[in-house]
Amino acid sequence: MWKEIKEREFGNVRPNLFSSRISKSRVSSIQLSNYKEILSSHRGSVNSLQVDLTESRYLLAGASDASVAVYDIQRATDHDERNLIAKHKPLFVLNKQHEHGHKYAISSAIWYPIDTGLFVTGSYDHHINVWDTNTTQVVMNFKMPGKVYRTAMSSIARSHMLVAAGTEDVQVRLCDIASGAFAHTLSGHRDGVMSLEWSTSSEWVLITGGCDGAIRFWDIRRAGCFRVLDQSCSQFGRRQPLLLRPTTNKKSSPASQSSSAKVRAHHRKSANGSALKPHTVGRISSLVKTAKQRSHPGMLSSHDRATAHYGVVTGLKVTGDGMYLLSAGSDSRLRLWDIESGCNTLVNFETTRLQSSKAIQMAVTQDSTLAFVPCMAITKVFDIWSGQTKSTFRGHYENVNCCCYNALDQELYTGGNDRQILVWSPPKFVSDETGEGKNGKAAATDDQDNWSD
Amino acid sequence: MNKKITELEPSTSRKRRRDEESEAELDNDDDDSQSLSLEENFTFSDTLMALRMMRSQFPRTEKVTVQPFVLRSQLYSSLKDRTQVDMELESLRRDRVLRIFKLNTGQDDHAVMFMDDYINQIERVVKRMEDKKQDDIRVFEWFKIHVIQSKLDTSIGHQELFSLLSWGGKVREEHISQLINAGLLIRQLIDQNMYWFSIPNIGSVLKGLSQGRKEVLSFLNRRKYKEMMLVSLEKKRLRLSPLDMRFHLRDLIGSGHLKTIQTPSGLIVKIAKD
């Protein structure tokens, strides 16, 4: 450690490289925290966790007993008697007794991306509430047509304040908290939408994963989705840099350009049904003439039936650089997609089972090398490009639903059906703490003996 | 490449097989060559080699009515890097060396079959239909020539199927029903306009597959510590499945239901807990 600091001082190592080396070594040593504990006050399974994006100080948790709690993860509320473990109690808890609180389970709780003055919760009681953090009052309420599975706000948005909501209804709704009304709806999915994420590279792009197994990319300024991910369209790992790339077609079967073609803006010229090659039109029997009806260019995507998973898409996570998308499905597969080309990169993540009835929340480290995925009762750490399991975190008694990575401290928070929120952090040695004890007695040092001298 | 596959028949001479495999584990095999023990042949270094080896070990009894195929989970258990397996399978599929079929026995079951074996299987079915004096088997020729060669995925849409078959001749609804009756296509449950490609006459084998899986898992579950030495487990005969124990073990280890532990006295197979 001191050697590295000296190297940075002398200019042998750039500051960025120095900090990334330190955080990489810390991340690789993450284990169940031996100095920090969160005392969860939830009476139901923890469904959603998010650390705030501005200071990485407050953890927002939403649970199945309609309770929302905020924890300060940098300042402990009290310590145990030997000053070894810092306990973090919630700063406040909002539950069913609150006059405008939710009545059923909360499936998603997210911070307002700009500051921690507001947070948004979505619940199975068909409502989305926008809360003021300081007064803990509901300032806005949106009623949805079905159970809300997920809500999301774009962290890079500069010109809109839209909350995207995925419900058991087939349409994705965008709610505007500036005006209190619905902005518009996005149609195209054929079943409910269980997971959604905003893109980290464009404030206008929303990615949704549905119960029909499809993952769709929407540009909210246009109608219809502009891309549907197809698991059979694949490429081998990372794309080559532009100058070295060969000019062959990356699609799996060169002859099948027609049926599962991605709908792009310049394909709107052939807008007479999506599934036909022009020169075979004459041979089609009368049964398939219905596909030739003219449809709105934005609605062409509804004919595209490509699926990204063989079951429900239960989790989505975009990497921080906006280039790759990790998706989890109820077919117990994790897939890594290259967003720019829309292809499956065929990285195989070894997962035996993933929970299929509830959405899961995954996390990716800041340099996009490790992914944290809840698999039933354990959390697995995968290397994103090779798919190998780096380590497994066993600690919860029941299924893990959500995990959230705090890049500032290199800590991971996981919440599960056993109502606990566990903290996983790089180990801190006991001898570091003895100087700051409240008691003043150095009773914690292990190698001090009790003899008098 | 086709010639190499026909040469690789299970031979009685041990030396030829040793030349083809580069694994050191073969050096200490001492039992008869027809049934190489699973422990010695556990891992391979190359997907194509593993595929050929497993294809040659496919049981050919009179109860098994289908050409050899390999399950994807079996490949995962025999090669260390799963991503490499996926990528090599994808490139072999694009080169039309093999085809992948989605099976209905589980959430993510896929069967890998070499293209020649698949064509043989179709021809067997066609011959049987010819013997029964069914009329109009032209659709099978169209299917073989136009659809299989151009559509390499596991499923196909109704309109695309129609348009590809039309290259051969005038297509009617009865032709599609013939294909479904022969077992080459299966309607998808979630979407009526999509069909899965499937291997004809595979029904009894799939039933044996799922029953055999259950039998192996229940046998190990009933034991006191839910584990057993691989060598002795391999010698057991299965009551309900025509496929041999080695096939099922590879499949269950690859799909994560069983795990293997290396011990000083050999490999132990154990039920995986999570």
Side-chain angles (χ1 to χ4, degrees):
Chain A
M1 176 71 164
W2 294 112
K3 181 170 178 289
E4 283 165 9
I5 291 183
K6 197 161 73 161
E7 285 192 6
R8 183 190 63 160
E9 196 180 320
F10 289 165
N12 295 338
V13 168
R14 293 202 170 279
N16 284 348
L17 185 60
F18 170 72
S19 64
S20 69
R21 266 190 206 168
I22 301 241
S23 47
K24 258 199 191 124
S25 69
R26 279 172 63 89
V27 163
S28 54
S29 63
I30 283 184
Q31 57 184 60
L32 189 56
S33 179
N34 55 359
Y35 61 92
K36 196 184 263 197
E37 190 184 334
I38 291 184
L39 297 173
S40 150
S41 58
H42 301 286
R43 300 264 182 86
S45 41
V46 179
N47 289 333
S48 162
L49 285 175
Q50 197 195 29
V51 176
D52 80 282
L53 300 153
T54 41
E55 298 177 89
S56 303
R57 182 169 174 180
Y58 299 105
L59 178 69
L60 176 68
S64 287
D65 63 336
S67 66
V68 186
V70 171
Y71 303 86
D72 181 342
I73 45 180
Q74 284 178 8
R75 272 262 168 99
T77 51
D78 44 22
H79 296 252
D80 75 337
E81 65 286 352
R82 290 198 343 172
N83 218 27
L84 289 173
I85 298 185
K87 293 188 192 290
H88 297 256
K89 283 213 191 102
L91 296 174
F92 59 84
V93 182
L94 304 163
N95 49 17
K96 279 188 200 157
Q97 272 78 44
H98 197 274
E99 51 174 336
H100 294 296
H102 287 291
K103 300 284 173 292
Y104 296 139
I106 290 182
S107 55
S108 163
I110 53 173
W111 287 107
Y112 179 50
I114 311 294
D115 60 41
T116 51
L118 286 179
F119 60 90
V120 180
T121 56
S123 153
Y124 279 7
D125 65 355
H126 304 215
H127 282 272
I128 292 183
N129 285 349
V130 181
W131 304 75
D132 178 331
T133 323
N134 296 311
T135 59
T136 61
Q137 294 299 319
V138 178
V139 291
M140 213 174 282
N141 185 317
F142 298 98
K143 179 135 185 16
M144 295 285 140
K147 290 195 262 192
V148 179
Y149 285 137
R150 206 112 202 123
T151 53
M153 283 190 80
S154 174
S155 52
I156 48 174
R158 292 288 164 263
S159 43
H160 68 83
M161 281 199 275
L162 296 172
V163 178
T167 63
E168 53 179 359
D169 185 45
V170 298
Q171 293 180 324
V172 179
R173 282 184 163 67
L174 296 171
C175 316
D176 187 7
I177 53 179
S179 62
F182 292 103
H184 47 275
T185 61
L186 306 169
S187 337
H189 274 288
R190 285 176 292 138
D191 202 351
V193 175
M194 210 180 229
S195 51
L196 77 171
E197 284 276 316
W198 286 90
S199 160
T200 48
S201 53
S202 165
E203 57 173 330
W204 307 108
V205 175
L206 177 68
I207 305 168
T208 58
C211 296
D212 52 356
I215 297 180
R216 285 169 183 256
F217 282 66
W218 312 83
D219 185 325
I220 59 174
R221 297 168 293 187
R222 284 190 269 167
C225 72
F226 66 89
R227 186 182 285 138
V228 182
L229 291 180
D230 186 352
Q231 60 185 310
S232 52
C233 166
S234 48
Q235 68 185 40
F236 298 112
R238 282 193 172 104
R239 272 175 300 137
Q240 301 273 341
L242 203 54
L243 295 174
L244 299 172
R245 199 183 309 163
T247 50
T248 52
N249 191 0
K250 275 200 292 285
K251 276 210 170 185
S252 52
S253 49
S256 68
Q257 289 279 353
S258 53
S259 62
S260 56
K262 292 175 278 205
V263 178
R264 291 189 180 272
H266 55 272
H267 280 182
R268 285 184 197 171
K269 283 186 232 146
S270 56
N272 63 341
S274 58
L276 309 173
K277 280 193 200 156
H279 59 276
T280 57
V281 161
R283 300 203 190 180
I284 305 299
S285 74
S286 56
L287 274 156
V288 297
K289 283 229 172 77
T290 48
K292 285 173 68 176
Q293 279 168 2
R294 284 189 177 270
S295 47
H296 187 277
M299 297 312 291
L300 273 178
S301 63
S302 58
H303 295 300
D304 193 340
R305 307 246 162 147
T307 55
H309 280 273
Y310 286 125
V312 176
V313 180
T314 47
L316 286 178
K317 183 78 188 145
V318 188
T319 58
D321 48 11
M323 286 179 44
Y324 303 104
L325 171 70
L326 188 65
S327 71
S330 64
D331 56 352
S332 304
R333 285 280 222 170
L334 279 171
R335 293 191 208 273
L336 185 69
W337 306 85
D338 183 331
I339 289 184
E340 186 56 40
S341 63
C343 292
N344 182 357
T345 54
L346 290 180
V347 181
N348 190 309
F349 297 94
E350 182 183 338
T351 46
T352 325
R353 279 184 69 196
L354 288 176
Q355 77 179 11
S356 49
S357 52
K358 254 184 180 175
I360 59 174
Q361 192 183 332
M362 303 181 279
V364 176
T365 55
Q366 215 168 20
D367 53 358
S368 311
T369 48
L370 292 177
F372 301 96
V373 180
C375 305
M376 307 311 284
I378 57 177
T379 309
K380 282 197 181 172
V381 185
F382 291 106
D383 178 275
I384 272 197
W385 282 108
S386 67
Q388 285 172 343
T389 309
K390 288 283 176 192
S391 51
T392 57
F393 296 151
R394 254 169 248 274
H396 282 277
Y397 295 126
E398 289 179 40
N399 286 356
V400 183
N401 290 328
C402 46
C403 60
C404 180
Y405 178 66
N406 181 355
L408 200 65
D409 295 327
Q410 290 90 42
E411 283 179 354
L412 182 74
Y413 309 104
T414 54
N417 282 350
D418 59 352
R419 312 167 186 179
Q420 297 300 318
I421 300 177
L422 293 181
V423 181
W424 309 82
S425 59
K428 197 188 267 195
F429 296 107
V430 174
S431 51
D432 295 344
E433 296 274 353
T434 49
E436 314 155 14
K438 272 193 196 159
N439 315 355
K441 293 188 225 161
T445 45
D446 299 75
D447 51 9
Q448 195 177 55
D449 49 37
N450 288 328
W451 298 359
S452 62
D453 14 53
Chain B
M1 181 116 45
N2 291 339
K3 276 197 231 158
K4 273 197 204 147
I5 296 172
T6 49
E7 274 170 5
L8 189 68
E9 294 303 320
S11 66
T12 47
S13 109
R14 241 177 286 146
K15 280 230 178 82
R16 200 206 292 188
R17 200 173 281 117
R18 197 175 298 172
D19 289 341
E20 282 157 356
E21 291 190 16
S22 48
E23 293 300 296
E25 289 149 6
L26 249 197
D27 290 342
N28 54 355
D29 80 350
D30 51 355
D31 42 356
D32 59 282
S33 49
Q34 272 295 79
S35 54
L36 282 176
S37 86
L38 183 56
E39 180 149 5
E40 287 152 8
N41 258 344
F42 207 47
T43 53
F44 300 92
S45 62
D46 176 46
T47 316
L48 191 57
M49 187 172 71
L51 275 170
R52 287 187 193 153
M53 195 61 206
M54 287 196 248
R55 179 189 172 271
S56 65
Q57 290 172 351
F58 193 79
R60 287 162 205 261
T61 61
E62 61 289 333
K63 275 195 273 178
V64 176
T65 53
V66 80
Q67 297 281 313
F69 64 90
V70 181
L71 292 175
R72 211 171 185 155
S73 45
Q74 293 177 324
L75 281 177
Y76 287 153
S77 72
S78 15
L79 285 148
K80 259 198 303 240
D81 187 5
R82 293 187 176 204
T83 306
Q84 184 203 357
V85 171
D86 273 353
M87 293 196 184
E88 287 183 13
L89 269 183
E90 178 67 22
S91 67
L92 286 170
R93 192 181 64 97
R94 287 188 195 179
D95 294 337
R96 295 187 173 90
V97 174
L98 43 84
R99 270 196 89 88
I100 302 187
F101 300 92
K102 184 170 187 311
L103 301 175
N104 61 357
T105 45
Q107 194 51 291
D108 200 19
D109 269 345
H110 291 266
V112 179
M113 202 185 225
F114 282 103
M115 193 63 103
D116 311 320
D117 292 335
Y118 184 51
I119 305 274
N120 282 345
Q121 187 77 12
I122 298 183
E123 275 163 15
R124 259 204 220 169
V125 169
V126 172
K127 208 152 56 92
R128 193 153 9 114
M129 291 186 90
E130 246 176 25
D131 296 339
K132 286 196 223 161
K133 296 294 179 207
Q134 291 257 355
D135 49 340
D136 204 3
I137 52 161
R138 297 175 295 152
V139 66
F140 295 103
E141 275 307 306
W142 303 341
F143 189 76
K144 254 195 296 185
I145 296 173
H146 299 295
V147 180
I148 295 187
Q149 297 301 328
S150 46
K151 185 73 177 167
L152 300 172
D153 298 330
T154 52
S155 64
I156 188 171
H158 182 82
Q159 287 139 357
E160 199 183 350
L161 177 67
F162 242 85
S163 61
L164 285 171
L165 283 175
S166 314
W167 284 103
K170 187 150 175 17
V171 187
R172 293 194 305 272
E173 278 301 297
E174 297 84 52
H175 290 138
I176 307 244
S177 320
Q178 270 189 309
L179 286 172
I180 296 179
N181 286 342
L184 289 165
L185 290 175
I186 297 181
R187 272 220 149 95
Q188 282 192 17
L189 289 174
I190 37 174
D191 192 348
Q192 281 107 329
N193 286 338
M194 299 283 287
Y195 301 98
W196 296 115
F197 284 112
S198 98
I199 305 172
N201 287 341
I202 203 177
S204 53
V205 179
L206 288 185
K207 178 173 179 199
L209 176 68
S210 39
Q211 287 191 323
R213 278 177 182 166
K214 272 194 256 184
E215 189 180 345
V216 174
L217 288 176
S218 72
F219 171 71
L220 278 175
N221 265 320
R222 274 181 280 134
R223 291 178 70 81
K224 187 172 182 191
Y225 292 109
K226 305 200 188 324
E227 63 185 13
M228 191 167 178
M229 295 289 299
L230 181 62
V231 187
S232 33
L233 185 57
E234 231 191 315
K235 297 204 174 79
K236 267 192 67 68
R237 302 207 51 148
L238 287 168
R239 247 183 345 118
L240 303 163
S241 165
L243 303 161
D244 59 343
M245 176 61 98
R246 189 171 41 184
F247 187 95
H248 285 290
L249 282 178
R250 278 208 166 110
D251 165 48
L252 287 169
I253 293 170
S255 57
H257 290 100
L258 296 176
K259 64 177 186 219
T260 52
I261 306 169
Q262 188 68 251
T263 64
S265 44
L267 281 174
I268 285 192
V269 175
K270 192 173 180 160
I271 298 263
K273 238 187 318 179
D274 45 29

